[in-house]
Amino acid sequence: MTSPSLPPPSTDALAQAVEALHDTMVRQLSDLVAAPSPSGAEQPAAAVLEAQMQALGLDCERILLDSRLIQDSPLFSCPCDPDNGRYNLLARHLPPAGTPRGRSVLFNGHLDVVPTGPDRLWHSPPFQPRVEGDWLYGRGAGDMKGGLICTLIALQALRSLGLQPAGVVGFNAVLDEENTGNGTLSTVHALKHTLAKARLTDFDAVIIPEPFGETLMAAQVGVSWLFVTLTGRPAHVAYMGSGLNPIEAGMALVAELKVMEAEWNAPERRHPAFADVAHPLNFNLGTIEGGEWNSSVPCTCTLGLRCSYFPGIDADAALAEISERLRAKAQALNPALQIEISARGHRSPGCVYDLAHPAMQTLAQAHTQVNGQAPTRLACTATTDGRHFSLGTDLPVTNYGPMARHIHGIDESVSLSSMKRVSQTLARFMVDWCGVLPWSPPT
Ligand SMILES: [Zn+2]
């Protein structure tokens, strides 16, 4: 298809246009990072981004997170928080009526951030953004408010050159990515079932600017959370032998899971996309609760676990295998040990991305034009919302976003020069994929 296009801007012109927006980029990202948005309470960041999208004149709608509408989807995860009237934001650039329409793209990113840990470990408070050298610090700066801002900077760069995409460009900012993925699932559901002004058919491709260092994502693992509650037999430690310690049993169960993790990572069990990844599957003990008193054998212990598995493995089957192993270990430790396993949070299958699709080829070529070399392909050891498009729609999708450090850790930061390269690449992608039309600022 030929795009209804003006001559494309040069790579240098795009680079200069993005560079001229440096201060805008830092301000927009700082404002967004300063709005705390832990999963389940993202509204402060949604309000900031909505104002930024409206200031750009984008057609912006709110899409409610309504678990009742999506709970029968195979990609639904048991929520960690009530819906509480929370909403995704879907803004669209619409080319002028009556002009030939180019191809379209949806940029999809999450607003929620993970917990910060103790403030005392940070060099500056996690929700007080700070620039030092090339890095902007703050919780969510990298994962993934930086990527969301890159998409807006890419559009602004085109406009500063008197251009606008000739196709629809969507900017979807979602909730609940870090714990369930139900945010993006809600938008996909709404677009499929005419519950929004926008339609799934508005879009020809999806790009998720997650912070994986300007790589193109080729595949991602599946991820499931589970909670294991062990109940023992409390006792005074003076008579410890009469008790049954569920925390110590929990330690033994975690050791058993590490054995299982090694088995699942074995070369003969690998998905081919992960053949060269050193340790693709990580089982993580993320939380532990239990005990009442140093001098009592405790009553209960609850382990919060995150396990992963390769694309093609059914999430429920993976959970069943893990649960069976844990129950057997608990039984072997002591038949009196009670074990309850519940699933809440991620229940997310892995997936493989079709990077041979013309849209993904166009993105790779845009990266090559900006950087002088082809992008690296990444088999990702985490999950992303890309699965909702890869497994739940016919749209081509990948992740492509800036370089970040210490995401989910302390002193998280994003590289500003990388954000500018990503913004250039996304602008170049819109030029080459959507085509461009003249644009003049409203008077
Ligand atoms: Zn992320």
Side-chain angles (χ1 to χ4, degrees):
M1 161 183 174
T2 42
S3 354
S5 202
L6 289 173
S10 70
T11 302
D12 280 352
L14 272 181
Q16 286 166 19
V18 168
E19 189 59 44
L21 289 162
H22 176 93
D23 291 349
T24 302
M25 182 181 85
V26 170
R27 188 181 66 250
Q28 289 181 336
L29 178 56
S30 298
D31 289 349
L32 200 51
V33 171
S37 52
S39 304
E42 304 90 340
Q43 292 319 94
V48 168
L49 189 66
E50 187 171 42
Q52 291 179 352
M53 289 166 157
Q54 285 169 342
L56 293 173
L58 298 171
D59 180 81
C60 197
E61 65 178 316
R62 298 176 176 184
I63 296 177
L64 269 184
L65 175 63
D66 185 342
S67 294
R68 292 168 304 178
L69 297 178
I70 54 175
Q71 64 191 3
D72 295 329
S73 164
L75 295 174
F76 180 72
S77 295
C78 181
C80 297
D81 300 289
D83 295 346
N84 264 353
R86 290 181 291 145
Y87 51 85
N88 300 325
L89 294 171
L90 175 56
R92 281 177 304 159
H93 156 81
L94 301 170
T99 56
R101 281 273 168 116
R103 292 176 294 207
S104 62
V105 61
L106 176 67
F107 297 123
N108 198 86
H110 64 87
L111 280 167
D112 59 321
V113 301
V114 299
T116 60
D119 277 16
R120 66 181 168 79
L121 296 181
W122 289 68
H123 279 92
S124 53
F127 295 114
Q128 288 180 23
R130 163 177 72 90
V131 175
E132 192 177 313
D134 186 43
W135 301 89
L136 192 150
Y137 290 82
R139 172 58 85 232
D143 188 9
M144 63 169 288
K145 293 174 175 176
L148 281 168
I149 295 300
C150 287
T151 66
L152 297 181
I153 291 295
L155 180 73
Q156 292 170 86
L158 290 181
R159 286 180 174 185
S160 74
L161 295 170
L163 301 170
Q164 62 177 315
V168 176
V169 178
F171 302 85
N172 188 38
V174 304
L175 317 172
D176 265 11
E177 188 273 350
E178 294 286 4
N179 53 9
T180 62
N182 289 343
T184 288
L185 182 61
S186 293
T187 291
V188 170
H189 176 87
L191 295 182
K192 278 182 178 173
H193 295 91
T194 61
L195 301 174
K197 280 192 292 178
R199 301 280 183 271
L200 197 63
T201 50
D202 288 347
F203 301 107
D204 298 318
V206 181
I207 297 173
I208 301 182
E210 285 273 20
F212 292 109
E214 302 170 53
T215 58
L216 275 189
M217 195 172 288
Q220 68 186 39
V221 296
V223 166
S224 281
W225 286 10
L226 62 161
F227 293 86
V228 179
T229 297
L230 300 167
T231 303
R233 188 167 52 244
H236 191 298
V237 285
Y239 318 105
M240 199 169 75
S242 66
L244 172 56
N245 189 321
I247 296 179
E248 291 179 3
M251 290 158 63
L253 260 58
V254 171
E256 182 69 12
L257 271 182
K258 288 291 170 183
V259 173
M260 198 172 192
E261 179 193 69
E263 291 168 3
W264 284 20
N265 274 301
E268 63 274 17
R269 288 190 65 151
R270 293 272 180 108
H271 185 282
F274 292 84
D276 298 326
V277 180
H279 194 273
L281 300 181
N282 297 313
F283 290 12
N284 185 56
L285 172 61
T287 63
I288 180 164
E289 286 172 31
E292 295 79 25
W293 181 250
N294 287 19
S295 290
S296 301
V297 173
C299 298
T300 64
C301 172
T302 299
L303 310 172
L305 298 158
R306 175 269 198 200
C307 299
S308 56
Y309 35 89
F310 289 118
I313 304 287
D314 178 73
D316 291 336
L319 269 179
E321 192 174 337
I322 292 166
S323 300
E324 193 180 329
R325 185 80 164 251
L326 290 175
R327 288 183 198 286
K329 182 66 181 177
Q331 174 73 20
L333 286 171
N334 191 322
L337 186 68
Q338 295 172 43
I339 177 168
E340 279 175 61
I341 301 176
S342 61
R344 186 171 74 254
H346 275 296
R347 182 179 147 277
S348 306
C351 64
V352 174
Y353 295 119
D354 177 14
L355 297 184
H357 188 280
M360 302 299 115
Q361 298 267 328
T362 303
L363 178 60
Q365 286 156 11
H367 171 99
T368 303
Q369 284 194 49
V370 169
N371 295 278
Q373 55 187 13
T376 304
R377 294 180 170 203
L378 175 75
C380 184
T381 53
T383 184
T384 77
D385 273 348
R387 68 187 180 277
H388 292 297
F389 299 98
S390 172
L391 301 173
T393 76
D394 293 329
L395 293 172
V397 57
T398 194
N399 281 267
Y400 178 84
M403 182 187 304
R405 299 188 301 199
H406 309 309
I407 58 173
H408 294 216
I410 299 297
D411 290 335
E412 174 179 352
S413 57
V414 66
S415 161
L416 297 172
S417 54
S418 177
M419 280 184 67
K420 286 185 276 194
R421 287 192 300 273
V422 168
S423 301
Q424 282 180 57
T425 297
L426 298 180
R428 167 62 59 194
F429 173 84
M430 287 191 278
V431 169
D432 295 342
W433 180 251
C434 310
V436 281
L437 295 167
W439 186 79
S440 43
T443 48

